[in-house]
Amino acid sequence: MARAIWTGVITFGLVTVPVGLYTATQDHTVHFHQLQRGTSDRIRNRRVNERTGEEVDTGDIVKGYELDEGQYIVVEPDELDEIAPGRSQSIDITDFVDLDRIEPVYFDRTYYIAPRGKEYTKVYELLRAALAESDKAGIATLVMRNKQYLTALRAEKKVLVLQTLHWADEVRDPAEELPELPSGRAGRGKQLDMALELVEALSSDWDPSRYRDTYQEKVRELVKAKAEGEEIAVAEEPPEATNVIDLMKVLEGSLQAARTGRGGKEPAAGRKGKAAPRKAAARTSTAGTSTAGTSAKTSARKAPPKKAGAARARSGGAGGRRELQKLSKAELYRRATEQDLPGRSKMSREQLVDALAGGGRRRRKTAA
């Protein structure tokens, strides 16, 4: 069972409820150690004097605020401790605001709040229900680990959620920061109507379990493949940007694909790309044992051969060419990889279409 990272009380008006704060999310990122190439020797970061190159003890390090180049105001650690707010014991709600008026860019980290004891569940549920019924968020400040946070308390099913917010001066103005933004709003027209139809056709209920971090999955597959000397999948090329001249045609094709079951594709976040494999020798490092100049090599597993008839049925002939013309460059490249067409990585979209429609196979036979 999780442990509370903060305990105290929530107050709104004269009502007080003792609560604990719990982390709501966890990191699933694959973490690596840094090693010197060819060895199993760990790389460590050290605090080094920039001028002398000598290592500096932690007790001899102070903080400096740079006024001008090379000119600093020195601040001692205990001076910061003296003005630190200290650990607060309460989350005092000062305002209730409409939840949908808080722009998403302000939200930062998410925590669960739980009552500290069964005797406090009734008051806790009263606050949760009031927030849920009113669709409002309680705004408060919280001091935790010597840092002050702006927070919003909101209601979910059976639980109160606290989200830390960015302060106003931490949020950048997009009009000032971004190089290119539309000069005006999209007017009502056929393109906008079709874009709205496409949004409606692709709409579904929110289900977070439908989406996966495919990059982290591929990192784990990469580590496993290198350990076993197997093949490594190479990522697909990104699709080309849509030409404004072809926008209507692209919208029509997208809408047609969406109406016929999204073209048989999974949601983008959960779709796994197929690509050309390349062999990798396994490299394993054991603490204290050098692996310089050595590598464990095993024979790569060969993918089962594609059936020539199926490939021809999928891409050959005039009808097949028309179907290929509708595909993105990434999809064309995936099919070219499946058929092991030579030179595919340097081909344009039209060259990929030509090769898949039959020209690529003829060129390969001639070269053979």
Side-chain angles (χ1 to χ4, degrees):
M1 183 175 293
R3 294 181 59 183
I5 62 173
W6 179 94
T7 56
V9 298
I10 295 176
T11 65
F12 60 109
L14 299 178
V15 180
T16 301
V17 53
V19 297
L21 195 67
Y22 299 82
T23 303
T25 59
Q26 60 185 4
D27 181 20
H28 67 194
T29 303
V30 177
H31 296 280
F32 295 93
H33 293 301
Q34 291 183 322
L35 307 176
Q36 183 175 357
R37 190 186 303 279
T39 76
S40 59
D41 300 338
R42 292 277 300 276
I43 303 300
R44 302 288 184 179
N45 295 322
R46 294 182 178 179
R47 295 177 174 86
V48 177
N49 185 307
E50 186 181 66
R51 179 176 56 83
T52 66
E54 297 179 357
E55 190 171 353
V56 181
D57 186 80
T58 304
D60 293 330
I61 297 176
V62 295
K63 295 183 180 293
Y65 181 85
E66 189 171 24
L67 291 176
D68 202 352
E69 186 174 354
Q71 295 184 349
Y72 296 91
I73 296 295
V74 176
V75 179
E76 296 285 345
D78 57 356
E79 292 177 312
L80 289 174
D81 292 339
E82 289 174 0
I83 64 171
R87 180 183 177 278
S88 67
Q89 299 290 324
S90 64
I91 300 173
D92 301 317
I93 299 176
T94 57
D95 303 282
F96 290 96
V97 302
D98 291 337
L99 185 57
D100 61 3
R101 297 301 298 272
I102 304 177
E103 298 173 11
V105 70
Y106 282 92
F107 289 111
D108 189 12
R109 301 198 64 178
T110 305
Y111 300 88
Y112 293 138
I113 293 179
R116 286 192 290 128
K118 289 185 178 181
E119 62 270 34
Y120 307 122
T121 56
K122 185 174 182 179
V123 182
Y124 174 93
E125 172 56 21
L126 179 66
L127 174 58
R128 191 210 64 79
L131 291 175
E133 287 286 332
S134 62
D135 200 21
K136 291 183 179 292
I139 305 300
T141 56
L142 166 68
V143 176
M144 183 170 57
R145 298 167 182 163
N146 283 341
K147 184 175 179 180
Q148 188 176 40
Y149 297 90
L150 180 66
T151 67
L153 280 80
R154 60 181 182 82
E156 286 194 2
K157 290 182 179 179
K158 297 184 179 181
V159 67
L160 279 172
V161 171
L162 179 142
Q163 292 192 268
T164 58
L165 304 175
H166 293 291
W167 300 96
D169 60 357
E170 293 179 324
V171 177
R172 294 177 172 179
D173 183 349
E176 296 179 0
E177 300 292 337
L178 305 185
E180 295 292 341
L181 286 175
S183 57
R185 297 176 64 88
R188 175 62 64 181
K190 191 172 182 181
Q191 289 182 348
L192 179 57
D193 290 341
M194 190 162 292
L196 290 171
E197 286 185 54
L198 179 58
V199 170
E200 182 63 29
L202 294 175
S203 295
S204 62
D205 292 331
W206 166 240
D207 179 8
S209 64
R210 292 176 58 207
Y211 310 95
R212 307 189 313 275
D213 186 343
T214 56
Y215 173 68
Q216 291 301 318
E217 290 179 358
K218 289 180 179 179
V219 171
R220 292 185 175 90
E221 290 172 3
L222 169 64
V223 172
K224 182 180 178 182
K226 289 181 73 70
E228 299 178 359
E230 295 181 356
E231 298 174 346
I232 303 172
V234 181
E236 291 182 358
E237 292 183 1
E240 294 179 344
T242 300
N243 191 319
V244 177
I245 299 174
D246 300 329
L247 182 56
M248 201 64 192
K249 182 190 294 185
V250 173
L251 285 169
E252 289 173 350
S254 301
L255 188 57
Q256 182 180 2
R259 285 171 173 169
T260 56
R262 305 193 182 194
K265 296 182 180 179
E266 301 175 34
R271 187 165 63 242
K272 283 189 174 182
K274 299 179 182 178
R278 55 184 174 85
K279 298 180 181 179
R283 294 180 183 173
T284 57
S285 296
T286 305
T289 303
S290 173
T291 59
T294 63
S295 62
K297 297 184 179 180
T298 58
S299 58
R301 296 179 184 174
K302 294 183 179 179
K306 299 288 179 180
K307 293 183 179 179
R312 282 193 295 270
R314 191 165 57 245
S315 60
R321 177 179 288 276
R322 284 194 293 271
E323 292 301 316
L324 291 169
Q325 291 284 5
K326 298 177 183 179
L327 301 178
S328 67
K329 184 178 179 181
E331 179 64 19
L332 291 168
Y333 184 82
R334 184 183 70 78
R335 294 196 178 187
T337 299
E338 289 178 352
Q339 297 184 31
D340 196 25
L341 295 180
R344 57 187 175 275
S345 61
K346 297 181 180 180
M347 291 182 184
S348 66
R349 185 176 180 280
E350 290 303 316
Q351 288 172 332
L352 285 170
V353 170
D354 179 61
L356 288 168
R361 285 193 299 276
R362 287 192 295 272
R363 282 194 295 273
R364 188 166 64 234
K365 290 178 181 178
T366 301

